[in-house]
Amino acid sequence: MNVQVREQGNKFWKFIRMIARVAGNGGRKRGRLQQTILLLLPLFYVMIGFVSIDKGQVGIVFAKFGSKPAVAERFIVEEGEQGYRREVLMPGMHFYWLLEPLWKYTIKEEPFTTIQTGMIGVVNAKDGYPMRPGQILADSDSYEEVTEDGRKIKKFKMGQKGPRLEVLKPGSYPINTAYLEIKPFPSVQIPEGSLGVLTRLYGDEPPQGTILVSKESEFRGIIREVLQPGTYYINPQAYKHEIVEAVKIDKGQVGVVTKRVGKVPPEGTILVDANDAFQGIQKQVLQPGMYYINPYEKSLRIEDAVFVPDGHVGVQIAKTGIAKPVDQLLAKEGERGIQEDTLPPGLYYLNPYATQVVNIDIRQQRYEMTYLEGQGDTQQNDAIVFYSDDGFEIAIDVTVLFQVLPHDAPYVVATIGRDVQDIKEKIIRPQARSYARILGSRYKGEDFVHGATRETFQNDIHKELKVKTLESRVQMNQALVRHFEVPAQLRQPITDKVIALKMQEKFEQEQKTQQANADLAREKEKVNFESAKVVAETKKVKAIISAEEERAVEEINVAKKEFIAQGEAKKIQIGADAALYEKEKEATGILALGKAKAEAKKLELAAYQGQGGQRFAEVEKAKALGSGIEKIYYIPSDMSINAIAKDFENAITVGLPDNKK
């Protein structure tokens, strides 16, 4: 920009010199030229007073004149001092009334400082107050509030010389490169599935014993808060970062946390709370998910979650809590020991340092003791051997079916063991063998060869075992005794005796069968005789029935003819009765009609009583004379002749045409 200002000044003086030469050449035009110069001088003044800074550029101003800086080695100065001005000229037009760019300032254009994507700009101040001993980062520029002339104002305070804490994020900045140097560094990228641990390199020394410091504190050291996946603009001269893998807990797993920072817990403490100030194994566990844990603050151990399969219950053994009473077998909630409550089938995220879970199978179990090698629970000859009451050695195979009910599982774990195998070895096997020997010694040897004694012996073992196993809270469902092994010297005679008895029973049965066959033959002959007799009787009965049927048919035909004749007669009788009924009906109608007419006449005569009677007689007489008489007049006896004549004349002429009158 200083070149531009210089060129503007050169053009101005060149223009002035050209005017002067023209003025010297002719005196006539001197007055007019002076007027023109007076008009153009303000315009040139304004043009020279403007300084233009292009877009994307800043103007760095150097004051050639002024007082010396207050600090001798300082080259960034304030208003009135000689040196580089701290403020820069932003893009645009800037006007100077005293034409300082011509004589006082040197203005230099520099491009904006650009920070690319994924980078940061670390600021290094070329001028400022010196840093204190041991200080690694310089203080930034600031404004402090001061009082001048009785009023408070904010006054600029230059920072320290050297690298500063603040950084520039990606973008363009109008930086005074004479004052600040910008060095590019990569930004911190935390990938997915990782976390960043920061260590602050500046600040005060933390208290003794401090392992982690807070992000908000002013202490040096490892910062407790971590950086999750993302991009961070961190000054590498202020912080050191470490990228570590985050902790992923899969389904079916649980995370056990150990706090590495804090006070030593009280003696005897096994687990500490997540929110207290003690170090140690944390009571709360982490369920499946992604966790960003500072490895300097906490360590994590991944364990399998507790899985209680179908057909089982989980018996809980609490490792923490208060001690239960001595006379109490099972612990209640909050007490150490085997808990009363069990867990149904499912997946549980429990702290293995707080609770141990023993899965107990509550399905029906089978324990088999047999003489066969490679079979049974022991896979060897495990038959139960005992001596009968008469001293014979008897060997039997026994199979016991049993199970543990859900509510009895904690008791079984507390008294017997933590596995079904413990129940088999401590309860089922010894008691089954013991009671088989005790009960078997009460029977004779021959009782175990044949007969119902075997079933009785099996039922006895079942009853005794059921009573004894219930004392241990084990439910015995069935005891099966099979394969009775009896000595040959006892088994053979008894077997022969049994065979003889069977043969005798067979002979007796054959005799009964032969006798039954003979009886059956006799019965068959008897049946045949009876059948022939029945056939003969049947033929006889059929003949009788046939004759009776023919006679019945004849009788039916005769009766039918009689019935038809009776029907015809009845039909004639009915016709006659119908005709008679019609005649009687007709006569009755005529009689009724006559009566009705007579009654009508009677009523009509009643209407003509008195003088009406005479009129009735005249009406009937007129009817008898024929239809030629149109009117009949009745003349009272006391009527005069003149009146009669007059009346008659009027009567016979009314309604007649003139030629008829």
Side-chain angles (χ1 to χ4, degrees):
M1 185 61 202
N2 55 341
V3 177
Q4 180 182 359
V5 173
R6 191 180 304 114
E7 289 179 352
Q8 288 180 346
N10 293 335
K11 290 179 182 180
F12 174 75
W13 293 115
K14 184 177 180 181
F15 179 74
I16 295 298
R17 287 195 297 270
M18 182 185 68
I19 294 175
R21 285 197 300 269
V22 173
N25 292 335
R28 289 184 302 174
K29 300 180 181 179
R30 186 172 300 168
R32 187 182 303 172
L33 181 59
Q34 291 176 350
Q35 294 177 357
T36 303
I37 292 173
L38 292 175
L39 292 174
L40 293 176
L41 279 176
L43 177 60
F44 278 100
Y45 177 82
V46 172
M47 291 175 60
I48 294 173
F50 274 108
V51 175
S52 175
I53 304 298
D54 294 336
K55 183 178 181 181
Q57 302 282 317
V58 294
I60 299 176
V61 180
F62 180 79
K64 294 181 289 184
F65 303 100
S67 61
K68 296 294 183 182
V71 181
E73 62 272 13
R74 186 72 49 77
F75 62 87
I76 300 297
V77 298
E78 298 299 324
E79 182 69 29
E81 296 179 342
Q82 181 183 0
Y84 283 101
R85 298 287 299 274
R86 178 176 51 82
E87 298 87 354
V88 296
L89 300 180
M90 298 299 291
M93 300 296 293
H94 303 270
F95 183 72
Y96 293 87
W97 289 101
L98 300 179
L99 304 181
E100 288 93 340
L102 293 178
W103 59 277
K104 184 177 182 180
Y105 297 142
T106 298
I107 301 174
K108 181 181 178 181
E109 279 191 272
E110 292 287 345
F112 272 39
T113 299
T114 301
I115 307 299
Q116 302 296 328
T117 302
M119 303 292 289
I120 61 171
V122 176
V123 180
N124 181 62
K126 299 178 182 181
D127 194 6
Y129 295 100
M131 292 191 295
R132 297 179 297 275
Q135 187 178 357
I136 62 173
L137 292 177
D139 294 336
S140 299
D141 297 338
S142 61
Y143 287 88
E144 59 182 359
E145 193 175 77
V146 297
T147 302
E148 289 185 0
D149 299 332
R151 57 190 182 91
K152 292 183 178 180
I153 60 172
K154 287 186 176 181
K155 188 175 182 180
F156 175 80
K157 179 182 179 182
M158 178 176 283
Q160 294 175 314
K161 180 181 178 180
R164 293 185 173 177
L165 177 62
E166 69 270 14
V167 296
L168 302 180
K169 297 180 180 180
S172 295
Y173 299 88
I175 300 296
N176 188 340
T177 54
Y179 176 35
L180 302 175
E181 179 187 9
I182 308 301
K183 294 181 179 180
F185 284 89
S187 59
V188 176
Q189 303 288 334
I190 308 296
E192 291 294 332
S194 300
L195 60 94
V197 179
L198 293 179
T199 300
R200 186 183 288 121
L201 304 176
Y202 68 96
D204 299 329
E205 187 72 23
Q208 187 176 4
T210 301
I211 298 176
L212 299 176
V213 298
S214 172
K215 181 176 65 174
E216 306 300 330
S217 71
E218 298 294 333
F219 296 116
R220 297 194 303 270
I222 301 172
I223 297 177
R224 177 180 287 105
E225 296 83 358
V226 297
L227 305 179
Q228 296 191 16
T231 301
Y232 296 89
Y233 305 102
I234 298 173
N235 191 333
Q237 297 176 335
Y239 296 93
K240 181 180 70 174
H241 74 276
E242 178 185 359
I243 297 178
V244 297
E245 188 176 355
V247 178
K248 182 181 180 183
I249 302 176
D250 296 325
K251 183 179 180 181
Q253 295 180 327
V254 64
V256 180
V257 179
T258 300
K259 297 167 63 177
R260 306 175 67 175
V261 179
K263 297 184 295 185
V264 177
E267 186 178 357
T269 301
I270 299 176
L271 299 176
V272 298
D273 193 82
N275 298 319
D276 63 24
F278 297 111
Q279 56 182 280
I281 300 174
Q282 184 175 295
K283 183 187 305 181
Q284 297 82 0
V285 296
L286 303 180
Q287 297 189 16
M290 183 72 74
Y291 295 91
Y292 303 96
I293 298 176
N294 192 328
Y296 297 97
E297 181 184 16
K298 297 177 181 179
S299 64
L300 188 68
R301 180 178 177 181
I302 297 178
E303 301 278 355
D304 290 332
V306 174
F307 176 67
V308 181
D310 291 336
H312 294 69
V313 294
V315 177
Q316 304 178 82
I317 304 175
K319 298 181 179 180
T320 60
I322 62 174
K324 64 179 180 60
V326 179
D327 58 346
Q328 181 179 306
L329 180 63
L330 300 178
K332 301 182 182 299
E333 186 176 359
E335 298 176 342
R336 292 195 304 272
I338 300 174
Q339 301 291 300
E340 294 178 335
D341 298 330
T342 59
L343 300 176
L347 187 64
Y348 300 90
Y349 299 100
L350 302 177
N351 192 328
Y353 295 95
T355 305
Q356 180 184 1
V357 177
V358 177
N359 286 334
I360 297 297
D361 196 332
I362 57 174
R363 297 169 296 183
Q364 179 171 272
Q365 306 295 319
R366 175 189 179 98
Y367 188 76
E368 183 177 7
M369 295 166 283
T370 178
Y371 75 99
L372 296 174
E373 295 286 344
Q375 297 186 22
D377 279 63
T378 63
Q379 297 290 301
Q380 58 187 2
N381 187 350
D382 194 33
I384 300 176
V385 180
F386 59 89
Y387 289 94
S388 64
D389 183 58
D390 48 3
F392 289 99
E393 185 180 270
I394 309 297
I396 59 174
D397 289 357
V398 176
T399 300
V400 179
L401 303 179
F402 68 95
Q403 71 182 115
V404 177
L405 299 179
H407 60 273
D408 292 328
Y411 183 89
V412 170
V413 171
T415 57
I416 300 174
R418 301 183 179 185
D419 192 270
V420 173
Q421 192 63 31
D422 291 334
I423 301 174
K424 291 180 178 180
E425 294 177 356
K426 296 179 182 180
I427 302 297
I428 302 302
R429 177 182 175 82
Q431 292 190 4
R433 300 180 78 86
S434 175
Y435 282 105
R437 293 188 180 105
I438 293 173
L439 296 175
S441 65
R442 299 175 184 176
Y443 291 89
K444 301 290 184 182
E446 61 179 328
D447 294 333
F448 297 104
V449 180
H450 300 285
T453 308
R454 289 183 173 186
E455 184 176 355
T456 303
F457 175 65
Q458 175 178 279
N459 292 337
D460 290 344
I461 292 179
H462 174 80
K463 291 177 182 178
E464 292 295 333
L465 281 178
K466 188 169 185 178
V467 172
K468 292 300 179 182
T469 54
L470 281 179
E471 295 176 359
S472 303
R473 303 285 182 90
V474 177
Q475 178 174 288
M476 210 279 294
N477 296 333
Q478 195 170 7
L480 303 174
V481 182
R482 53 188 175 80
H483 186 71
F484 289 80
E485 184 67 29
V486 181
Q489 65 269 26
L490 175 64
R491 184 178 66 253
Q492 191 61 43
I494 295 175
T495 302
D496 293 342
K497 179 180 177 181
V498 171
I499 292 174
L501 291 174
K502 294 295 183 181
M503 294 298 293
Q504 182 179 354
E505 290 178 0
K506 181 180 178 182
F507 176 73
E508 292 176 354
Q509 185 63 35
E510 288 177 351
Q511 285 184 334
K512 292 179 180 179
T513 302
Q514 291 176 358
Q515 182 64 38
N517 289 337
D519 294 340
L520 180 61
R522 285 194 296 272
E523 291 295 328
K524 286 183 177 180
E525 290 299 328
K526 185 176 179 180
V527 168
N528 292 336
F529 174 76
E530 292 294 334
S531 298
K533 183 178 179 181
V534 169
V535 170
E537 291 292 335
T538 301
K539 290 180 179 180
K540 180 179 178 181
V541 170
K542 284 183 177 180
I544 295 172
I545 292 173
S546 178
E548 289 180 351
E549 286 180 350
E550 291 177 358
R551 185 177 64 183
V553 169
E554 187 64 29
E555 290 177 353
I556 289 170
N557 289 335
V558 173
K560 183 177 180 181
K561 291 178 181 179
E562 290 179 356
F563 180 76
I564 292 172
Q566 291 177 359
E568 288 295 331
K570 188 68 174 177
K571 183 177 180 181
I572 294 170
Q573 179 66 40
I574 290 171
D577 291 343
L580 178 61
Y581 175 75
E582 290 294 332
K583 294 297 183 180
E584 289 178 351
K585 182 178 178 183
E586 183 179 354
T588 303
I590 293 171
L591 180 60
L593 181 59
K595 288 182 178 181
K597 289 182 178 181
E599 189 66 29
K601 289 294 183 181
K602 183 178 179 181
L603 294 174
E604 189 176 2
L605 289 174
Y608 287 104
Q609 289 181 0
Q611 293 182 357
Q614 295 178 359
R615 292 191 178 184
F616 177 73
E618 292 298 333
V619 171
E620 290 299 320
K621 184 184 295 184
K623 289 181 180 179
L625 291 178
S627 58
I629 300 176
E630 294 183 0
K631 293 183 179 180
I632 297 177
Y633 293 92
Y634 172 71
I635 301 173
S637 56
D638 57 350
M639 190 175 184
S640 64
I641 293 301
N642 292 331
I644 293 172
K646 186 62 174 177
D647 188 32
F648 181 76
E649 179 181 3
N650 293 334
I652 61 176
T653 59
V654 174
L656 294 178
D658 295 337
N659 58 352
K660 295 291 187 178
K661 292 181 180 181

